[in-house]
Amino acid sequence: MAIKKSELYSTLWKSCDELRGGMDASQYKDYVLVMLFVKYISDKAKNNPDSLIEVPEGASFDDMIALKGKTNIGEEMNKKLAALAEENHLDGIIKEVDFTDETKLGKGKDLVETVSNLIGVFQSSGLDFGKNRTADDDLMGDAYEYLMKHFATDSGKSKGQFYTPAEVSRIMAKVTGIHKETNPTISIYDPTCGSASLLLRAFNEAPNRDGVSLWGQEKDIMTAALAKMNMILHGYDTAVVKQGDTLNSPQFIDGENLKTFNYIVANPPFSQKSWLKSAKRNDQYERWNESETGIPPEKNGDYAFLLHIIRSLKEKGKGACILPHGVLFRGNVEAVIRRYIVKRGYIKGIIGLPANLFYGTGIPACIVVLDKEEAAGRKGIFMIDAKNGFVKDGNKNRLREQDIRRIVDTWEEGKNISHFARFVPNEEIEGNGFNLNIPRYIEADDEEILQNIEAHLNGGIPEHDIEQLYHYWEACPALQNALFCSFGKKGLNQFVPEKENIREFINNHSDFNAQHVALFQSFAEWCEIWLPKFHELKPNSFNPKLLIENIGNSVLEKFSNSLLVDKYDVYDQLMNYWTETMQDDFYLIQSNGWMAKVVIRSAKKKNDETANNPKKAKEAKNISDLVCDLLPVECVVEKYFQTEKEKIAFLEEKLANTETELNELCEEHADNALDPANFNGKLNKANVQKRLKTAENEEITVLQTYLDLSDVIADYKKQLKVVNADLLNSVLNKYTTLSEDEIKDIVTNKWTSAFGNRLAAEIQRTSQSLNSRLMDLQERYDQTLPEINDEVARLEKKVQQHLDKMGFVFLQDDSKKRKIKEN
């Protein structure tokens, strides 16, 4: 059975995380990723005689398996890694880890056990990278990225900077315009490449990858090793990654100048202190100088990296750099540098991102997009304020699929969007002293709650508060008029329906229903396009990543006129379902075709198959013990065995009701006829039958009722056992007779039904959101100030009456503070 991508990654992470013990994630990742690397190149060499990596005799992963449990496992592992490194010129990549380091791996038996268990994780039969790789999709590279993301999450504030979140990398790769490149050969450079995830993401956008050269520099020696491994694991052996301090010792030199590149992407360390070391104030590479650019402050290296990138771009080069928001508005010498860069037209755009996205820091950041090609004629800067588009993910924020796509589409279109994006002319920027702080140019959406004094005094809903819900009224204009009518005073309105009926009123309104119908009409048209295409999928004939990109594009196109539910919300629902289910299904189809094999749930962990053999039914008690990844058992039951399913549900309900009745009987008579003490502490059928022989009067009735209910329960359980067994055998038999067309029908229906259910939930979420906002309005002005004063007076009078009865009086002193005094 082909391994599912999501299952592979999560299992791999869980196993590795359990093994690390007390070791810091930033250290343990080095051992895990090296083992992953060795496993990969060994599998490739074993299955591909033309592999570029040579595995010398005695240094394969299989040879490492033979070391498990041996006392000298650490020393032998180091020898094998050294042999691999020497044979393939991998010094500085896999020799950086030490399997004899007792401070990290433990001493004696602990070290042997830790290393042996680590090898065991990668020994799993599902981890065969020689067989699992599909055309143009790198399972190994994705696994590496998955582990790095989780290690970055666990590595703490100061140690997670080797990894740029994939969501941000995707935006940067798009906005640089690499995907539009027409030149057959281009170069891409990352001056602070970390583990090279950002550099690789940019590479994947290139139309002609064969003509792309990759260049990266990284200061940390171990992180540079990670980058080199990452390149090899993604199949890019020719990439050049060098270790060193980019600002003080740039490694890519062309004569006496910096080497220049077509594209640059970078996520440098934020606000690096004491960066100016061997670099001179008047830089030999002319990145900065005192007379023209100004010297970036020594306590803050943000502009030093930006100037390095600008200098490293070719004459028509383009780039994108992540920097903290402070670079947009900080003063002193940084203001001078900012003016220099803006005046020369190097900045094409700025994208403001949410706070707390990055590993290692919680401060908000932005993407500065550079373009030298059109710098001379640049008339302004395109700004996007995307700070509000994110979802909480643990202790970090994360960009959703809809956030990524909204930013990229807005960038590509270059259109002004209220409260989100705007092209700011140079004259306006100069008028603001070259301050580029985004809120100066893009007004935030009006979400401020203004307390209307007149409404609080006299009642009514202010028009301003209603107008803040304009997103809903644009979709349902008649709904606004139906919900509100004049309160009798200018600028104030009141609800037409009663408070408790507002939600029902919304759901039943013609405008709302029309939007609901329109949404599902678009869904039906989308299904009509894609269902035939899904049926045409064949093994090794498509690329899942490219396919979902096309599916996503079609969703945005088909739902472009949706008003109540934004097209990007629809897109997000699709992409979430892709991540949860469709992705695994597509990779299974890509690998094995429309094959529906069933496994026993307990056997699945061992990767054993039933081969759809009904004889295997004896290993399972009911259908809940069966698993089929591509074609879930519940889908087959829903399609072919609805009657049996309903019968089981009926019997289970009867059983539950009877058991409840029996429990209530036991509770009611726990102190008399059914007191456990009467049955030697064991209240069961046998003891009740024995007691019945000597029982008298009412006790006989109670005991007989107990026995009757017990018999009914036993009968229901017997019937359920038979029906479940019959259904189990029927389902297993059905899997053996399913044709490929039947499998396609059920699987594609699974996809479209799930997507449709998510759209229905999105409509309901929108309805609930509007209802909640309206309830807030109602409650805000529900009681006027005079009404509140009357209520206070009424309650005060009531309290006084109680006090009078108790012999107390209410007095007020000079400070108007009320006191209670005994009469």
Side-chain angles (χ1 to χ4, degrees), residues 811-819:
L811 299 178
Q812 288 185 315
D813 62 11
D814 293 339
S815 63
K816 303 300 182 184
K817 293 180 181 178
R818 294 181 171 92
K819 290 184 177 181

Side-chain angles (χ1 to χ4, degrees), residues 41-280:
I41 61 177
S42 293
D43 285 352
K44 281 297 167 188
K46 188 191 304 184
N47 289 277
N48 180 12
D50 299 323
S51 173
L52 295 175
I53 300 291
E54 293 289 336
V55 178
E57 186 175 351
S60 70
F61 183 75
D62 289 340
D63 295 310
M64 294 178 182
I65 292 174
L67 296 175
K68 289 171 63 177
K70 294 186 177 180
T71 56
N72 65 340
I73 187 171
E75 293 86 347
E76 289 300 314
M77 284 290 293
N78 284 349
K79 290 178 183 178
K80 295 182 188 306
L81 291 177
L84 274 170
E86 185 177 351
E87 185 72 25
N88 296 283
H89 308 291
L90 298 176
D91 288 335
I93 301 180
I94 59 176
K95 286 178 65 178
E96 297 301 327
V97 295
D98 181 7
F99 279 92
T100 63
D101 190 336
E102 295 181 343
T103 62
K104 296 177 181 177
L105 301 171
K107 296 182 179 181
K109 291 182 179 180
D110 290 340
L111 185 147
V112 173
E113 184 178 350
T114 299
V115 178
S116 297
N117 288 339
L118 182 58
I119 294 171
V121 169
F122 297 95
Q123 194 180 348
S124 164
S125 59
L127 294 173
D128 189 342
F129 301 115
K131 296 178 182 177
N132 265 309
R133 182 169 180 176
T134 58
D136 201 29
D137 180 72
D138 198 330
L139 180 73
M140 186 65 255
D142 288 347
Y144 191 83
E145 286 281 307
Y146 182 92
L147 287 174
M148 281 197 294
K149 175 183 176 180
H150 281 73
F151 280 127
T153 302
D154 276 20
S155 289
K157 184 173 181 180
S158 61
K159 301 171 183 175
Q161 294 182 9
F162 57 85
Y163 181 75
T164 301
E167 298 82 10
V168 180
S169 297
R170 287 164 57 189
I171 294 172
M172 295 179 70
K174 287 287 188 184
V175 299
T176 53
I178 297 175
H179 59 290
K180 300 177 182 178
E181 183 58 65
T182 57
N183 289 326
T185 58
I186 59 169
S187 56
I188 308 175
Y189 167 56
D190 186 342
T192 56
C193 68
S195 58
S197 58
L198 177 54
L199 190 55
L200 285 165
R201 188 70 65 177
F203 171 82
N204 287 330
E205 287 296 317
N208 178 27
R209 298 180 189 176
D210 292 336
V212 177
S213 60
L214 298 180
W215 309 75
Q217 183 168 341
E218 169 56 39
K219 186 176 182 179
D220 182 79
I221 187 169
M222 275 308 305
T223 305
L226 292 181
K228 293 176 185 177
M229 281 193 286
N230 203 5
M231 290 295 186
I232 295 172
L233 293 175
H234 278 85
Y236 313 132
D237 308 63
T238 58
V240 181
V241 177
K242 293 188 177 182
Q243 187 268 325
D245 183 338
T246 297
L247 297 180
N248 292 283
S249 181
Q251 295 296 298
F252 300 112
I253 307 298
D254 186 3
E256 295 183 357
N257 301 310
L258 291 177
K259 181 177 177 62
T260 55
F261 305 89
N262 299 105
Y263 294 93
I264 298 177
V265 288
N267 178 17
F270 288 179
S271 306
Q272 181 172 309
K273 302 184 186 307
S274 304
W275 63 270
L276 189 62
K277 296 175 183 175
S278 59
K280 306 298 183 184

Side-chain angles (χ1 to χ4, degrees), residues 680-728:
N680 298 321
K682 293 182 179 180
L683 179 60
N684 55 40
K685 185 176 179 181
N687 285 339
V688 170
Q689 287 174 330
K690 185 178 179 180
R691 174 84 176 178
L692 184 61
K693 294 176 182 179
T694 59
E696 296 179 357
N697 303 324
E698 186 181 345
E699 185 181 8
I700 295 175
T701 304
V702 174
L703 296 178
Q704 189 59 55
T705 303
Y706 179 95
L707 292 174
D708 292 344
L709 290 173
S710 297
D711 287 340
V712 174
I713 289 171
D715 184 57
Y716 282 141
K717 287 182 176 179
K718 183 178 180 180
Q719 291 183 60
L720 276 169
K721 184 176 181 181
V722 173
V723 176
N724 274 316
D726 289 344
L727 180 58
L728 176 64

